[in-house]
Amino acid sequence: MGRNQAYCCICGGPFLEPGTREDEPGDWLCYPALWTTVHDTKDGVELDTYKCQLGMYTYDLVNLIGDSQRRVLEQEATYQQHNVFLISESGKKVPAFHVVDNESAIYLAVHSQCSQLVQRFISSRREAHDVFQTSDKDEICSVKQLWQVVFTRLSASGRGVASNIEHPTRYCGIASLHLTEWEPDNNPLVGECVEADPIEVPNLTECILDNLEADASRPRSEETSNDVKDQDWWFNKFITKKELPWMWDLDEDVVSEKQHTGDWNWELLVKKLSLTDISRPEDETLRLPLGLRNRRRIWKCIEDARLGDIQRQIGPPLLGFDVPMEGNLWDGYTPKSQQPAA
């Protein structure tokens, strides 16, 4: 039936083979990295080993060591074909998202750009804890915690060769394109958005300021106006990016120059930019470049990550592990036992 396309477990976008999109939209999808866990030993650093549990769709850690000795290792790689990646440093070819021969290391495949967004997100947190443990209610605050979240999603995906990992929000609506091959033409608008670079967004500041509307509430000359003071407060929130940490590369000089050219409704702009629906390419709330919409979508995927957010248990029915479910395969549905009574 053809190849099995592999997809990033952070953004849900495809990995493209090197050289297929050079200097074209989608080029950023050609640069993967592999995450795996390692631990310190007296002889140096060793890969953690995971094994399959007979009759269960889960993986267990073989190396029973303290979490303080474990960390996530990121390695540059290139995408080969199907679900195979070539580690740049060692030249070793490895699969992603599953163990080999019932016991091996596990590699999670991510885009290099998505890894950068993860680091940006963690830096934006007030506190960052370099630990694996995380609450099922709190946002992640370390790469270790995100690894743990994704790993628990992997355990819900089943054994065998996997080309992607399920996500509770279908990667904010793009999982419909998770096909045997990446075929963005099946939904051109969404496909074009996924292929837009989320890090390097040309004219980002200017594009955002094009949405700025005049503040018609009070004339600027009335210095005692509370409305004017309120707009200054919203301007400061905008330029310091406290409300919008995903816009870290906003050009503050350009924004300050704009502030002095008229009376602007900064409150309305900030509130519109705070809406998560602006990540959708068809959303008409603001005129935004697709790269920025894609960034906001990926940021939300990271922002929403919670331990155990794939609330289901899968097992062979004959062994008695099956749990009645409702919902569609990609919707992150919950067991009936956990659903509220009608």
Side-chain angles (χ1 to χ4, degrees):
M1 189 177 174
R3 64 179 301 156
N4 291 318
Q5 181 74 53
Y7 294 89
C8 173
C9 61
I10 302 299
C11 77
F15 293 102
L16 302 182
E17 294 178 26
T20 57
R21 295 291 186 89
E22 291 182 4
D23 301 321
E24 295 180 1
D27 176 62
W28 74 280
L29 300 171
C30 299
Y31 299 95
L34 296 177
W35 286 358
T36 190
T37 58
V38 297
H39 60 276
D40 298 318
T41 70
K42 63 180 181 179
D43 298 320
V45 176
E46 292 184 4
L47 295 175
D48 287 338
T49 304
Y50 297 82
K51 65 179 180 179
C52 298
Q53 281 286 75
L54 181 63
M56 294 293 290
Y57 287 123
T58 187
Y59 298 114
D60 284 343
L61 183 66
V62 174
N63 315 96
L64 300 179
I65 56 175
D67 282 345
S68 62
Q69 296 175 270
R70 298 171 60 221
R71 58 186 172 86
V72 176
L73 175 68
E74 178 175 322
Q75 298 173 286
E76 291 185 2
T78 54
Y79 179 54
Q80 299 291 288
Q81 58 181 347
H82 304 295
N83 194 28
V84 177
F85 294 80
L86 175 69
I87 299 176
S88 302
E89 184 176 355
S90 66
K92 182 180 179 180
K93 292 184 178 181
V94 298
F97 310 137
H98 71 280
V99 302
V100 179
D101 296 329
N102 292 324
E103 185 171 309
S104 71
I106 285 181
Y107 294 92
L108 302 180
V110 305
H111 295 113
S112 294
Q113 302 283 57
C114 292
S115 180
Q116 292 182 44
L117 284 174
V118 170
Q119 296 293 346
R120 290 279 184 183
F121 177 82
I122 292 170
S123 297
S124 73
R125 297 297 311 276
R126 292 182 179 179
E127 296 183 6
H129 305 287
D130 191 27
V131 295
F132 278 98
Q133 293 82 6
T134 182
S135 167
D136 59 358
K137 299 178 181 178
D138 297 330
E139 294 180 355
I140 63 104
C141 57
S142 71
V143 175
K144 286 183 178 181
Q145 290 180 353
L146 186 56
W147 162 276
Q148 191 170 9
V149 169
V150 176
F151 177 76
T152 59
R153 294 173 182 168
L154 175 65
S155 65
S157 303
R159 291 172 53 186
V161 177
S163 58
N164 56 64
I165 293 180
E166 298 174 20
H167 190 278
T169 68
R170 306 182 74 202
Y171 296 100
C172 297
I174 74 162
S176 60
L177 299 181
H178 281 190
L179 306 173
T180 304
E181 294 189 53
W182 173 241
E183 299 177 12
D185 290 344
N186 288 341
N187 191 328
L189 192 60
V190 174
E192 188 178 359
C193 186
V194 171
E195 292 186 350
D197 192 324
I199 300 291
E200 301 296 332
V201 182
N203 303 315
L204 178 145
T205 304
E206 291 79 4
C207 290
I208 292 174
L209 292 180
D210 282 344
N211 295 278
L212 192 59
E213 298 180 16
D215 179 17
S217 58
R218 297 278 182 98
R220 184 76 179 182
S221 59
E222 296 184 23
E223 296 182 359
T224 60
S225 168
N226 289 330
D227 293 317
V228 171
K229 291 181 180 179
D230 286 346
Q231 290 302 335
D232 287 341
W233 185 81
W234 282 101
F235 167 77
N236 288 329
K237 291 184 78 68
F238 177 73
I239 200 170
T240 57
K241 299 175 280 291
K242 290 183 178 179
E243 296 293 315
L244 308 165
W246 49 276
M247 295 199 317
W248 67 83
D249 46 353
L250 197 67
D251 191 323
E252 296 181 11
D253 291 335
V254 172
V255 175
S256 296
E257 290 178 8
K258 185 70 174 181
Q259 165 75 334
H260 295 105
T261 62
D263 303 322
W264 303 108
N265 195 334
W266 296 101
E267 177 183 6
L268 181 62
L269 181 60
V270 171
K271 288 184 174 179
K272 284 185 175 181
L273 286 168
S274 300
L275 300 173
T276 56
D277 274 354
I278 64 171
S279 64
R280 303 170 66 89
E282 70 274 15
D283 184 74
E284 298 181 352
T285 305
L286 295 168
R287 299 178 301 279
L288 297 175
L290 289 179
L292 190 59
R293 293 188 187 276
N294 197 26
R295 178 192 296 185
R296 184 65 186 96
R297 179 186 68 82
I298 300 170
W299 190 275
K300 179 170 173 54
C301 287
I302 302 168
E303 192 173 45
D304 289 348
R306 299 291 189 278
L307 185 64
D309 54 13
I310 299 289
Q311 295 293 332
R312 60 185 187 149
Q313 178 182 352
I314 296 180
L318 295 179
L319 295 180
F321 295 119
D322 59 315
V323 177
M325 301 292 176
E326 285 186 354
N328 118 6
L329 180 61
W330 289 99
D331 284 339
Y333 47 74
T334 58
K336 288 183 178 178
S337 60
Q338 298 181 18
Q339 294 174 5

